[in-house]
């Protein structure tokens, strides 16, 4: 489909219409999941408009940290966190939330009703890139609660990726995109800033069959295991590899996974010995690895810890870290093979 025909009025599908259509698959649906997804899209519009003004905050803000409208100048990640929280704390759809930015689970204030879902999110992933005008993103996943009623608990949050009912990411780049799945394929929406709507621009996304890129912070190679080092050689066309991939690394997981999804290949952040406090790499299981693995698998790919499916890992704690390999199935499985052979 050409860019112009995608957005030319007839056949134009807004995110709202698309989410409602998805809901029609489930005649007994309460509409709560639909509303929840719609609110995530709304939060994304607010965050996108702020990220586009990143860098202006310091100029517009006074010494007292207020901008010209008299609003407090917030750091973007704090803004993203509070926006998502405020849109979801009072709706009666969630029993609790958990965020990369918060130490403990986020309770629903007692004056508001609780609901059947749990939202986990990384409000502004890749935030170390903001100062350099590089794409950042939001990652999210939604579970059904496990406890029967009342305030949500850790038990509701610490579920494996197999229990996700919807998940995806927002990328705030040269355009803003929402890419998500409810377990029936992946769809991508692009924000049209002139009308303030997300429009379906990439229906039924599948990873390209031919992998093109590998993506990892090769600056850390000296901290990697033998298996991961050899795997990297294999990606470069050595170690008997039939393929030779190009290297791309942004250092913003959302942007790197987004390119992997649409361009094909693998993104990985393995275990390393760089920091003894982080033996399993840097990325968080709940807020980064699981939602991305769920989405990549829905698009025909695979997400692995290097030893098995990410989606099979049940988190033991909120901020648990995990090695991550996501991308074309056969390329990710090759990582498992090298690790099993060389990293005993
Ligand atoms: P950031 O610290 O900028 O928020 O987990 C966060 C993350 O970025 C990912 O988005 C990114 O893939 C990774 O860290 C980059 O880490 P390195 O700088 O170690 O490569």
């Amino acid at each position: 489909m050409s860019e112009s025909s995608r957005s030319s009025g007839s056949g134009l599908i807004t995110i709202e219409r698309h989410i409602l259509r998805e809901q029609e698959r489930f005649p007994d649906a309460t509409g709560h999941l639909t509303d929840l997804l719609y609110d995530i899209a709304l939060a994304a519009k607010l965050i996108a408009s702020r990220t586009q003004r990143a860098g202006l905050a310091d100029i517009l803000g006074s010494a007292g940290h207020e901008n010209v409208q008299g609003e407090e100048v917030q750091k973007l990640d704090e803004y993203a966190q509070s926006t998502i929280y405020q849109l979801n704390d009072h709706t009666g759809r969630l029993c609790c939330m958990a965020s990369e930015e918060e130490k403990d689970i986020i309770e629903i204030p007692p004056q508001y009703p609780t609901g059947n879902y749990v939202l986990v999110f990384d409000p502004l992933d890749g935030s170390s890139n903001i100062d350099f005008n590089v794409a950042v993103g939001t990652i999210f996943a939604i579970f059904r609660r496990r406890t029967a009623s009342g305030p949500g608990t850790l038990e509701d949050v610490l579920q494996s990726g197999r229990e996700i009912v919807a998940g995806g990411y927002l990328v705030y780049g040269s355009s803003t995109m929402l890419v998500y799945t409810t377990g029936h394929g992946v769809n991508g929406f692009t924000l049209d800033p002139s009308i303030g709507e997300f429009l379906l621009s990439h229906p039924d996304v599948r990873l390209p069959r031919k992998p093109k890129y590998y993506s990892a912070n090769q600056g850390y190679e000296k901290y990697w295991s033998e298996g991961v080092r050899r795997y990297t050689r294999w990606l470069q066309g050595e170690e008997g590899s039939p393929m030779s991939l190009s290297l791309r690394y942004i250092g913003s997981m959302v942007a790197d996974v987004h390119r992997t999804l649409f361009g094909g290949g693998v993104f990985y952040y393995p275990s390393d010995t760089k920091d003894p406090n982080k033996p399993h790499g840097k990325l968080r299981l709940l807020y980064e690895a699981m939602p991305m693995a769920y989405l990549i698998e829905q698009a025909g790919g695979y997400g692995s810890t290097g030893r098995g499916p990410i989606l099979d890992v049940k988190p033991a704690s909120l901020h648990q870290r995990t090695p991550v390999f996501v991308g074309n199935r056969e390329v990710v499985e090759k990582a498992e093979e090298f690790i099993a052979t060389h990293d005993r």
Side-chain angles (χ1 to χ4, degrees):
M1 211 190 309
S2 75
E3 204 52 52
S4 56
S5 63
R6 275 190 197 121
S7 53
S8 66
S10 69
L12 178 145
I13 300 175
T14 62
I15 183 113
E16 189 172 16
R17 211 201 296 176
H18 187 268
I19 294 173
L20 282 169
R21 272 194 200 167
E22 293 255 299
Q23 187 188 315
E24 284 163 14
R25 291 171 190 265
F26 307 97
D28 298 335
T30 58
H32 279 188
L33 181 60
T34 300
D35 294 339
L36 191 45
L37 287 167
Y38 193 68
D39 279 345
I40 288 169
L42 178 58
K45 289 183 205 173
L46 295 165
I47 298 166
S49 86
R50 274 292 173 105
T51 54
Q52 273 152 16
R53 289 162 59 213
L56 289 173
D58 286 346
I59 304 171
L60 300 177
S62 70
H65 280 81
E66 284 190 351
N67 65 17
V68 282
Q69 283 89 33
E71 300 157 342
E72 204 184 325
V73 175
Q74 268 177 315
K75 280 175 63 195
L76 265 174
D77 36 12
E78 285 167 12
Y79 177 77
Q81 167 68 29
S82 61
T83 301
I84 297 173
Y85 171 72
Q86 282 166 16
L87 283 173
N88 287 290
D89 68 341
H90 59 284
T91 59
R93 295 170 200 138
L94 297 175
C95 66
C96 63
M97 299 177 240
S99 160
E100 217 238 71
E101 293 285 322
E102 299 280 330
K103 189 167 150 283
D104 300 311
I105 64 169
I106 306 169
E107 292 172 0
I108 300 300
Q111 65 270 33
Y112 300 128
T114 50
N116 284 331
Y117 291 100
V118 178
L119 174 65
V120 299
F121 59 99
D122 181 356
L124 208 67
D125 184 73
S127 50
S128 64
N129 287 304
I130 289 170
D131 287 349
F132 312 114
N133 229 330
V134 169
V136 291
T138 297
I139 311 175
F140 68 94
I142 298 167
F143 298 99
R144 227 167 249 114
R145 70 180 301 164
R146 297 191 78 97
T147 52
S149 59
T153 66
L154 255 190
E155 187 192 342
D156 295 305
V157 179
L158 298 181
Q159 303 194 45
S160 86
R162 301 275 175 218
E163 311 301 326
I164 294 176
V165 293
Y169 64 83
L170 279 306
V171 59
Y172 312 108
S174 46
S175 61
T176 297
M177 271 190 78
L178 166 57
V179 183
Y180 86 99
T181 173
T182 54
H184 304 278
V186 175
N187 289 286
F189 299 80
T190 303
L191 181 64
D192 181 339
S194 63
I195 57 170
E197 277 286 4
F198 277 104
L199 303 176
L200 180 62
S201 51
H202 298 73
D204 198 17
V205 179
R206 309 284 298 169
L207 272 116
R209 286 159 79 103
K210 198 169 165 353
K212 201 164 173 191
Y213 304 112
Y214 77 97
S215 181
N217 189 340
Q218 240 178 297
Y220 298 156
E221 190 165 350
K222 59 180 174 297
Y223 304 112
W224 290 349
S225 66
E226 175 70 10
V228 174
R229 267 187 246 170
R230 281 185 180 235
Y231 173 58
T232 307
R233 298 281 94 77
W234 182 86
L235 294 167
Q236 293 164 340
E238 295 170 27
E239 301 275 344
S241 173
M243 61 181 81
S244 173
L245 305 184
S246 278
L247 167 64
R248 295 280 190 283
Y249 187 69
I250 297 169
S252 194
M253 186 192 191
V254 170
D256 283 313
V257 171
H258 185 69
R259 186 198 48 252
T260 304
L261 175 65
F262 286 93
V266 59
F267 163 81
Y268 56 109
Y269 203 114
S271 297
D272 60 42
T273 56
K274 185 166 176 275
D275 180 347
N277 295 317
K278 297 179 194 164
H280 304 297
K282 181 179 181 189
L283 302 180
R284 314 279 181 158
L285 176 60
L286 205 47
Y287 318 106
E288 296 175 308
M290 273 173 22
M292 290 306 205
Y294 176 67
L295 184 125
I296 285 280
E297 293 204 6
Q298 280 295 315
Y302 177 42
S304 171
T305 62
R307 303 252 179 210
I310 288 171
L311 296 184
D312 282 349
V313 183
K314 188 171 179 315
S317 62
L318 277 183
H319 297 288
Q320 186 173 330
R321 297 176 199 268
T322 179
V324 173
F325 297 77
V326 286
N328 287 76
R329 177 168 283 277
E330 71 281 9
V331 183
V332 172
E333 281 174 349
K334 204 71 193 174
E336 292 180 339
E337 218 177 289
F338 273 96
I339 289 170
T341 309
H342 299 285
D343 302 344
R344 290 182 172 274

